[in-house]
Amino acid sequence: MALALDDYRLLGRSGLRVSPLALGTATFGTEWGWGAERAEARKLFDRYVGLGGNLLDSADTYTDGSSERLLGEFAREERERLVLATKYSTLRRPGDPNSGGGHRKALFGSVEGSLRRLGTDYLDLLYLHVWDLRTSVEEVLRGLDDLVRQGKVLYVAISNTPAWQVSRMQAIADLRGWSPLVALQLEYSLIERTAERDLIPMARELGLGVVPYSPLGGGVLSGKYGREDVGATGVGPDGSTRRSHNIALGTLTERSLGVAGVVREVAGELGHTPAQVALAWTLRKPGVTSTLLGARTPAQLEDNLGALAVELTDAQLARLDAAGAIALGQPHELLTSEPIRRVTTGDLRIETRR
Protein backbone atom coordinates (compact mmCIF):
# COMPACT_ATOMS: atom_id res chain seq x y z
CA MET A 1 0.00 0.00 0.00
CA ALA A 2 1.05 3.59 -0.55
CA LEU A 3 2.97 5.39 2.19
CA ALA A 4 3.36 8.99 3.33
CA LEU A 5 6.19 10.80 5.09
CA ASP A 6 4.07 11.00 8.22
CA ASP A 7 3.52 7.23 8.33
CA TYR A 8 6.10 7.13 11.09
CA ARG A 9 8.02 4.02 12.06
CA LEU A 10 9.79 3.13 15.31
CA LEU A 11 13.57 3.30 14.99
CA GLY A 12 14.94 -0.04 16.13
CA ARG A 13 14.30 -0.88 19.77
CA SER A 14 13.70 2.78 20.62
CA GLY A 15 10.40 4.62 20.89
CA LEU A 16 11.61 7.27 18.44
CA ARG A 17 9.23 7.80 15.50
CA VAL A 18 10.81 8.57 12.13
CA SER A 19 9.63 8.97 8.54
CA PRO A 20 10.03 6.08 6.06
CA LEU A 21 12.21 8.33 3.90
CA ALA A 22 14.97 10.44 5.47
CA LEU A 23 16.45 13.54 3.90
CA GLY A 24 20.22 13.34 3.57
CA THR A 25 21.90 16.74 3.72
CA ALA A 26 25.34 15.97 2.30
CA THR A 27 24.02 17.95 -0.68
CA PHE A 28 23.60 21.10 1.43
CA GLY A 29 26.49 23.33 0.37
CA THR A 30 28.83 23.40 -2.62
CA GLU A 31 32.24 23.10 -0.94
CA TRP A 32 32.82 19.67 -2.49
CA GLY A 33 32.32 20.97 -6.02
CA TRP A 34 28.70 19.88 -6.27
CA GLY A 35 25.57 20.21 -4.17
CA ALA A 36 22.91 22.82 -3.53
CA GLU A 37 23.39 26.50 -2.80
CA ARG A 38 21.62 27.86 0.29
CA ALA A 39 18.40 28.84 -1.53
CA GLU A 40 18.08 25.44 -3.23
CA ALA A 41 18.91 23.59 -0.03
CA ARG A 42 16.17 25.54 1.73
CA LYS A 43 13.66 24.41 -0.88
CA LEU A 44 14.66 20.79 -0.29
CA PHE A 45 14.25 21.20 3.46
CA ASP A 46 10.92 23.02 3.25
CA ARG A 47 9.38 20.52 0.85
CA TYR A 48 10.43 17.49 2.89
CA VAL A 49 9.39 18.92 6.26
CA GLY A 50 6.22 20.41 4.80
CA LEU A 51 5.03 16.93 3.85
CA GLY A 52 5.56 15.62 7.36
CA GLY A 53 9.13 14.35 7.01
CA ASN A 54 11.06 14.50 10.27
CA LEU A 55 14.38 12.61 9.91
CA LEU A 56 17.25 14.75 8.60
CA ASP A 57 20.71 13.24 8.28
CA SER A 58 24.08 15.01 8.30
CA ALA A 59 27.68 14.51 9.48
CA ASP A 60 30.30 16.71 11.08
CA THR A 61 32.45 16.82 7.92
CA TYR A 62 29.79 16.98 5.19
CA THR A 63 30.59 19.89 2.84
CA ASP A 64 33.22 21.08 5.32
CA GLY A 65 30.57 21.87 7.93
CA SER A 66 28.11 23.72 5.69
CA SER A 67 25.67 20.82 5.80
CA GLU A 68 25.21 21.12 9.56
CA ARG A 69 25.23 24.93 9.52
CA LEU A 70 22.49 25.14 6.89
CA LEU A 71 20.47 22.37 8.49
CA GLY A 72 20.65 24.10 11.86
CA GLU A 73 19.55 27.40 10.34
CA PHE A 74 16.59 25.83 8.53
CA ALA A 75 15.51 23.68 11.49
CA ARG A 76 15.60 26.41 14.12
CA GLU A 77 11.89 27.24 14.12
CA GLU A 78 10.78 23.59 14.15
CA ARG A 79 13.57 22.06 16.19
CA GLU A 80 11.40 20.13 18.65
CA ARG A 81 9.45 18.21 16.03
CA LEU A 82 12.47 17.23 13.95
CA VAL A 83 14.88 14.34 14.41
CA LEU A 84 18.37 15.64 13.66
CA ALA A 85 20.94 12.92 13.03
CA THR A 86 24.64 13.50 12.58
CA LYS A 87 27.86 11.49 12.68
CA TYR A 88 31.40 11.55 14.01
CA SER A 89 34.75 9.79 13.42
CA THR A 90 35.91 11.12 10.04
CA LEU A 91 39.00 13.37 10.11
CA ARG A 92 38.07 16.98 10.87
CA ARG A 93 41.55 18.53 10.60
CA PRO A 94 44.11 17.16 8.13
CA GLY A 95 47.34 16.27 9.90
CA ASP A 96 45.68 15.86 13.32
CA PRO A 97 45.19 12.14 14.00
CA ASN A 98 43.04 12.86 17.06
CA SER A 99 40.48 14.83 15.04
CA GLY A 100 39.11 11.58 13.66
CA GLY A 101 38.46 8.04 14.86
CA GLY A 102 36.09 6.51 17.36
CA HIS A 103 37.92 7.51 20.57
CA ARG A 104 36.73 9.91 23.28
CA LYS A 105 38.73 12.94 22.21
CA ALA A 106 37.42 12.76 18.64
CA LEU A 107 33.91 11.99 19.89
CA PHE A 108 33.58 14.88 22.33
CA GLY A 109 35.30 17.39 20.03
CA SER A 110 33.10 16.40 17.12
CA VAL A 111 29.86 16.58 19.10
CA GLU A 112 30.68 20.02 20.52
CA GLY A 113 31.34 21.26 16.98
CA SER A 114 28.12 19.73 15.67
CA LEU A 115 26.08 21.32 18.45
CA ARG A 116 27.51 24.74 17.58
CA ARG A 117 26.94 24.40 13.85
CA LEU A 118 23.42 23.03 14.27
CA GLY A 119 22.57 25.71 16.82
CA THR A 120 21.07 23.22 19.26
CA ASP A 121 21.87 21.91 22.72
CA TYR A 122 21.23 18.26 21.91
CA LEU A 123 21.44 15.76 19.04
CA ASP A 124 18.54 13.39 18.52
CA LEU A 125 20.67 10.68 16.92
CA LEU A 126 24.44 10.30 16.76
CA TYR A 127 26.15 7.72 14.54
CA LEU A 128 29.70 6.49 14.68
CA HIS A 129 30.36 7.16 11.00
CA VAL A 130 33.18 4.74 10.10
CA TRP A 131 34.77 2.10 12.32
CA ASP A 132 38.46 2.93 12.81
CA LEU A 133 39.78 -0.61 13.57
CA ARG A 134 41.82 0.74 16.52
CA THR A 135 39.62 2.11 19.30
CA SER A 136 38.21 -0.46 21.73
CA VAL A 137 34.47 -1.03 21.71
CA GLU A 138 34.35 -0.27 25.44
CA GLU A 139 35.82 3.19 24.90
CA VAL A 140 33.36 3.95 22.10
CA LEU A 141 30.33 2.71 24.01
CA ARG A 142 31.23 4.40 27.29
CA GLY A 143 31.86 7.70 25.51
CA LEU A 144 28.50 7.52 23.72
CA ASP A 145 26.74 6.61 26.96
CA ASP A 146 28.37 9.53 28.77
CA LEU A 147 26.98 11.93 26.15
CA VAL A 148 23.51 10.44 26.57
CA ARG A 149 23.72 10.83 30.34
CA GLN A 150 24.81 14.45 29.88
CA GLY A 151 21.75 15.09 27.70
CA LYS A 152 23.80 16.12 24.67
CA VAL A 153 22.71 13.04 22.69
CA LEU A 154 19.38 11.22 22.91
CA TYR A 155 20.07 8.06 20.89
CA VAL A 156 23.22 6.43 19.55
CA ALA A 157 23.77 4.45 16.38
CA ILE A 158 26.48 3.09 14.09
CA SER A 159 27.45 2.96 10.42
CA ASN A 160 30.02 1.22 8.19
CA THR A 161 31.07 -1.34 10.79
CA PRO A 162 31.37 -5.16 10.53
CA ALA A 163 28.38 -7.13 11.79
CA TRP A 164 30.43 -9.09 14.32
CA GLN A 165 31.67 -5.86 15.88
CA VAL A 166 28.20 -4.31 16.05
CA SER A 167 26.71 -7.41 17.66
CA ARG A 168 29.54 -7.48 20.19
CA MET A 169 28.94 -3.82 21.02
CA GLN A 170 25.21 -4.34 21.47
CA ALA A 171 25.79 -7.25 23.82
CA ILE A 172 28.27 -5.23 25.92
CA ALA A 173 25.91 -2.25 26.06
CA ASP A 174 23.07 -4.47 27.26
CA LEU A 175 25.19 -6.25 29.88
CA ARG A 176 26.63 -3.02 31.32
CA GLY A 177 23.47 -0.94 31.18
CA TRP A 178 24.92 1.49 28.64
CA SER A 179 22.89 3.16 25.88
CA PRO A 180 22.14 0.58 23.18
CA LEU A 181 22.60 1.17 19.47
CA VAL A 182 19.21 1.86 17.89
CA ALA A 183 20.10 2.24 14.20
CA LEU A 184 22.48 0.85 11.60
CA GLN A 185 23.25 2.97 8.54
CA LEU A 186 24.67 1.02 5.61
CA GLU A 187 24.91 0.94 1.85
CA TYR A 188 22.00 -1.07 0.49
CA SER A 189 20.30 -1.18 -2.88
CA LEU A 190 19.24 -3.61 -5.58
CA ILE A 191 22.85 -3.69 -6.82
CA GLU A 192 24.53 -3.74 -3.38
CA ARG A 193 22.97 -6.47 -1.30
CA THR A 194 25.88 -7.92 0.66
CA ALA A 195 24.27 -6.52 3.83
CA GLU A 196 21.72 -9.33 3.53
CA ARG A 197 24.35 -11.87 4.55
CA ASP A 198 24.92 -10.71 8.12
CA LEU A 199 24.34 -7.00 8.76
CA ILE A 200 20.58 -6.85 8.21
CA PRO A 201 19.74 -10.14 9.97
CA MET A 202 21.95 -9.03 12.87
CA ALA A 203 20.18 -5.64 13.04
CA ARG A 204 16.75 -7.28 13.10
CA GLU A 205 17.78 -9.70 15.82
CA LEU A 206 19.40 -7.08 18.07
CA GLY A 207 16.99 -4.19 17.68
CA LEU A 208 18.71 -1.80 15.26
CA GLY A 209 16.62 -0.05 12.64
CA VAL A 210 18.28 -0.26 9.22
CA VAL A 211 18.79 3.07 7.41
CA PRO A 212 20.09 2.43 3.87
CA TYR A 213 22.20 5.00 2.05
CA SER A 214 22.94 5.08 -1.70
CA PRO A 215 19.66 3.27 -2.45
CA LEU A 216 19.99 4.22 -6.14
CA GLY A 217 23.48 2.74 -6.44
CA GLY A 218 25.17 6.02 -7.28
CA GLY A 219 22.43 6.86 -9.77
CA VAL A 220 22.81 3.62 -11.74
CA LEU A 221 19.31 2.46 -10.79
CA SER A 222 17.78 5.76 -11.90
CA GLY A 223 18.46 4.74 -15.50
CA LYS A 224 20.95 7.52 -16.27
CA TYR A 225 23.67 5.16 -17.53
CA GLY A 226 23.92 2.75 -20.47
CA ARG A 227 26.35 0.05 -21.52
CA GLU A 228 28.39 2.62 -23.43
CA ASP A 229 29.31 4.13 -20.04
CA VAL A 230 30.98 0.96 -18.74
CA GLY A 231 34.72 1.47 -18.93
CA ALA A 232 34.39 5.07 -20.14
CA THR A 233 36.74 7.69 -18.74
CA GLY A 234 36.53 11.40 -18.06
CA VAL A 235 33.44 13.45 -17.37
CA GLY A 236 30.01 12.29 -18.40
CA PRO A 237 27.78 13.97 -20.98
CA ASP A 238 26.29 16.11 -18.20
CA GLY A 239 29.73 17.50 -17.36
CA SER A 240 30.01 15.68 -14.02
CA THR A 241 32.61 13.20 -12.80
CA ARG A 242 29.98 10.93 -11.21
CA ARG A 243 30.35 8.34 -13.98
CA SER A 244 34.10 7.85 -13.47
CA HIS A 245 33.51 7.82 -9.71
CA ASN A 246 30.98 4.98 -10.06
CA ILE A 247 33.32 3.07 -12.33
CA ALA A 248 36.14 3.41 -9.79
CA LEU A 249 33.84 2.14 -7.03
CA GLY A 250 32.73 -0.83 -9.14
CA THR A 251 29.12 0.37 -9.17
CA LEU A 252 28.81 0.81 -12.93
CA THR A 253 29.13 -2.71 -14.37
CA GLU A 254 27.36 -5.00 -16.82
CA ARG A 255 25.69 -6.73 -13.86
CA SER A 256 24.39 -3.52 -12.30
CA LEU A 257 23.09 -2.30 -15.66
CA GLY A 258 21.26 -5.60 -16.04
CA VAL A 259 19.57 -5.03 -12.68
CA ALA A 260 18.76 -1.46 -13.73
CA GLY A 261 17.11 -2.87 -16.85
CA VAL A 262 14.68 -4.92 -14.76
CA VAL A 263 13.95 -1.87 -12.61
CA ARG A 264 13.19 0.08 -15.78
CA GLU A 265 10.81 -2.65 -16.99
CA VAL A 266 8.88 -2.69 -13.70
CA ALA A 267 8.76 1.10 -13.69
CA GLY A 268 7.22 1.08 -17.15
CA GLU A 269 4.55 -1.37 -16.01
CA LEU A 270 3.62 0.83 -13.04
CA GLY A 271 3.89 4.24 -14.67
CA HIS A 272 6.61 5.33 -12.26
CA THR A 273 10.26 6.28 -12.72
CA PRO A 274 13.07 3.76 -12.21
CA ALA A 275 14.35 5.76 -9.21
CA GLN A 276 10.94 5.52 -7.55
CA VAL A 277 10.80 1.75 -8.04
CA ALA A 278 14.34 1.24 -6.70
CA LEU A 279 13.53 3.28 -3.61
CA ALA A 280 10.19 1.53 -3.11
CA TRP A 281 11.99 -1.82 -3.11
CA THR A 282 14.13 -0.77 -0.12
CA LEU A 283 11.09 0.55 1.75
CA ARG A 284 9.50 -2.89 1.61
CA LYS A 285 12.51 -4.91 2.75
CA PRO A 286 12.29 -6.45 6.23
CA GLY A 287 14.33 -4.56 8.78
CA VAL A 288 14.51 -1.30 6.85
CA THR A 289 13.14 1.62 8.88
CA SER A 290 13.97 4.70 6.79
CA THR A 291 15.76 5.07 3.45
CA LEU A 292 18.07 8.04 2.90
CA LEU A 293 17.42 10.37 -0.02
CA GLY A 294 20.39 12.24 -1.50
CA ALA A 295 18.59 14.74 -3.72
CA ARG A 296 20.48 17.79 -4.96
CA THR A 297 17.61 19.63 -6.67
CA PRO A 298 13.90 20.08 -5.89
CA ALA A 299 13.06 18.09 -9.04
CA GLN A 300 15.16 15.14 -7.84
CA LEU A 301 13.55 15.28 -4.41
CA GLU A 302 10.06 15.36 -5.91
CA ASP A 303 10.85 12.33 -8.03
CA ASN A 304 12.30 10.46 -5.05
CA LEU A 305 9.28 11.22 -2.88
CA GLY A 306 7.14 9.57 -5.54
CA ALA A 307 8.50 6.25 -4.28
CA LEU A 308 5.98 6.47 -1.44
CA ALA A 309 3.15 5.98 -3.93
CA VAL A 310 4.65 2.91 -5.65
CA GLU A 311 2.70 -0.28 -4.99
CA LEU A 312 4.73 -3.28 -6.09
CA THR A 313 2.95 -6.58 -6.66
CA ASP A 314 4.36 -9.79 -5.20
CA ALA A 315 5.38 -10.86 -8.70
CA GLN A 316 7.21 -7.59 -9.34
CA LEU A 317 8.99 -7.80 -6.00
CA ALA A 318 10.07 -11.33 -6.84
CA ARG A 319 11.46 -10.17 -10.21
CA LEU A 320 13.42 -7.36 -8.58
CA ASP A 321 14.72 -9.68 -5.87
CA ALA A 322 15.85 -12.21 -8.45
CA ALA A 323 17.56 -9.58 -10.60
CA GLY A 324 19.86 -8.36 -7.86
CA ALA A 325 20.18 -11.56 -5.83
CA ILE A 326 23.55 -12.55 -4.41
CA ALA A 327 24.82 -15.84 -3.04
CA LEU A 328 24.64 -15.69 0.75
CA GLY A 329 27.55 -18.09 1.09
CA GLN A 330 28.31 -20.24 4.10
CA PRO A 331 27.07 -21.00 6.63
CA HIS A 332 23.81 -19.37 5.49
CA GLU A 333 23.17 -21.62 2.48
CA LEU A 334 24.07 -24.72 4.47
CA LEU A 335 21.73 -23.85 7.33
CA THR A 336 18.75 -23.22 5.04
CA SER A 337 19.29 -26.28 2.85
CA GLU A 338 16.70 -29.05 2.87
CA PRO A 339 19.07 -31.80 4.13
CA ILE A 340 20.16 -29.74 7.13
CA ARG A 341 16.59 -28.69 7.90
CA ARG A 342 15.63 -32.37 8.01
CA VAL A 343 18.52 -33.11 10.36
CA THR A 344 17.71 -30.26 12.75
CA THR A 345 13.90 -30.18 12.69
CA GLY A 346 12.83 -33.39 11.06
CA ASP A 347 9.85 -32.89 8.77
CA LEU A 348 8.41 -30.04 10.86
CA ARG A 349 7.72 -26.76 9.11
CA ILE A 350 9.06 -24.05 11.42
CA GLU A 351 9.00 -20.43 10.36
CA THR A 352 12.32 -18.65 10.82
CA ARG A 353 12.59 -15.19 12.37
CA ARG A 354 14.04 -13.79 9.17
Side-chain angles (χ1 to χ4, degrees):
M1 58 184 294
L3 297 170
L5 286 178
D6 56 2
D7 288 329
Y8 302 114
R9 300 171 170 184
L10 292 178
L11 184 61
R13 62 166 67 179
S14 79
L16 187 65
R17 284 81 162 169
V18 297
S19 297
L21 290 175
L23 182 62
T25 64
T27 57
F28 286 17
T30 58
E31 284 79 1
W32 287 353
W34 53 272
E37 298 279 1
R38 182 189 176 283
E40 287 291 279
R42 182 73 207 223
K43 292 176 183 177
L44 297 173
F45 175 89
D46 287 344
R47 179 57 174 163
Y48 175 78
V49 172
L51 291 173
N54 73 342
L55 179 55
L56 297 114
D57 183 272
S58 188
D60 56 351
T61 55
Y62 282 172
T63 51
D64 301 336
S66 283
S67 172
E68 287 185 330
R69 281 190 291 270
L70 290 172
L71 176 57
E73 176 189 339
F74 302 158
R76 192 164 298 131
E77 294 179 2
E78 300 190 74
R79 174 66 186 95
E80 283 301 307
R81 91 165 187 86
L82 300 178
V83 178
L84 302 186
T86 194
K87 312 177 191 73
Y88 89 100
S89 79
T90 52
L91 203 67
R92 289 172 289 127
R93 293 182 297 276
D96 178 2
N98 285 319
S99 69
H103 54 88
R104 287 180 71 93
K105 184 172 178 61
L107 169 60
F108 281 74
S110 173
V111 166
E112 291 298 334
S114 290
L115 291 172
R116 286 193 300 271
R117 285 185 293 273
L118 287 165
T120 183
D121 54 5
Y122 70 96
L123 305 173
D124 295 289
L125 183 64
L126 176 67
Y127 289 92
L128 186 149
H129 200 166
V130 184
W131 188 250
D132 71 8
L133 302 175
R134 295 171 180 83
T135 308
S136 71
V137 295
E138 290 83 1
E139 181 174 348
V140 172
L141 288 168
R142 181 54 195 269
L144 292 171
D145 185 65
D146 284 346
L147 287 169
V148 172
R149 291 174 188 271
Q150 292 171 14
K152 293 182 179 180
V153 173
L154 302 187
Y155 297 95
V156 296
I158 198 160
S159 175
N160 300 311
T161 300
W164 67 269
Q165 197 68 279
V166 178
S167 59
R168 178 183 173 213
M169 293 173 75
Q170 195 74 317
I172 291 172
D174 284 345
L175 288 169
R176 298 193 178 180
W178 292 342
S179 300
L181 304 168
V182 302
L184 174 67
Q185 194 171 128
L186 45 73
E187 184 175 358
Y188 187 48
S189 71
L190 272 162
I191 61 174
E192 176 46 73
R193 294 174 60 180
T194 52
E196 293 176 1
R197 292 187 175 121
D198 290 297
L199 283 163
I200 292 177
M202 176 272 302
R204 297 182 67 195
E205 186 75 20
L206 298 179
L208 289 86
V210 175
V211 181
Y213 68 80
S214 197
L216 299 181
V220 174
L221 294 171
S222 68
K224 66 187 296 184
Y225 299 108
R227 283 182 165 75
E228 67 278 4
D229 292 303
V230 177
T233 58
V235 300
D238 59 354
S240 75
T241 59
R242 190 65 182 268
R243 179 179 63 183
S244 57
H245 181 67
N246 282 329
I247 291 172
L249 290 175
T251 306
L252 187 52
T253 64
E254 291 288 344
R255 173 190 174 274
S256 63
L257 288 174
V259 177
V262 177
V263 172
R264 189 164 55 249
E265 291 171 6
V266 172
E269 295 167 7
L270 294 170
H272 285 279
T273 66
Q276 290 168 352
V277 168
L279 287 166
W281 177 85
T282 67
L283 289 172
R284 284 153 179 80
K285 297 304 288 183
V288 171
T289 300
S290 184
T291 297
L292 273 169
L293 305 179
R296 185 177 55 82
T297 67
Q300 288 175 347
L301 176 61
E302 208 63 41
D303 181 67
N304 287 176
L305 292 174
L308 295 167
V310 175
E311 298 188 50
L312 295 163
T313 67
D314 290 343
Q316 288 166 337
L317 276 170
R319 282 165 58 197
L320 293 169
D321 281 339
I326 60 167
L328 294 181
Q330 299 300 351
H332 311 290
E333 292 175 1
L334 172 70
L335 298 177
T336 57
S337 66
E338 190 63 31
I340 293 300
R341 286 223 306 268
R342 284 200 299 269
V343 169
T344 57
T345 63
D347 293 327
L348 297 175
R349 294 293 178 182
I350 302 175
E351 183 179 348
T352 63
R353 292 186 184 182
R354 302 176 187 77

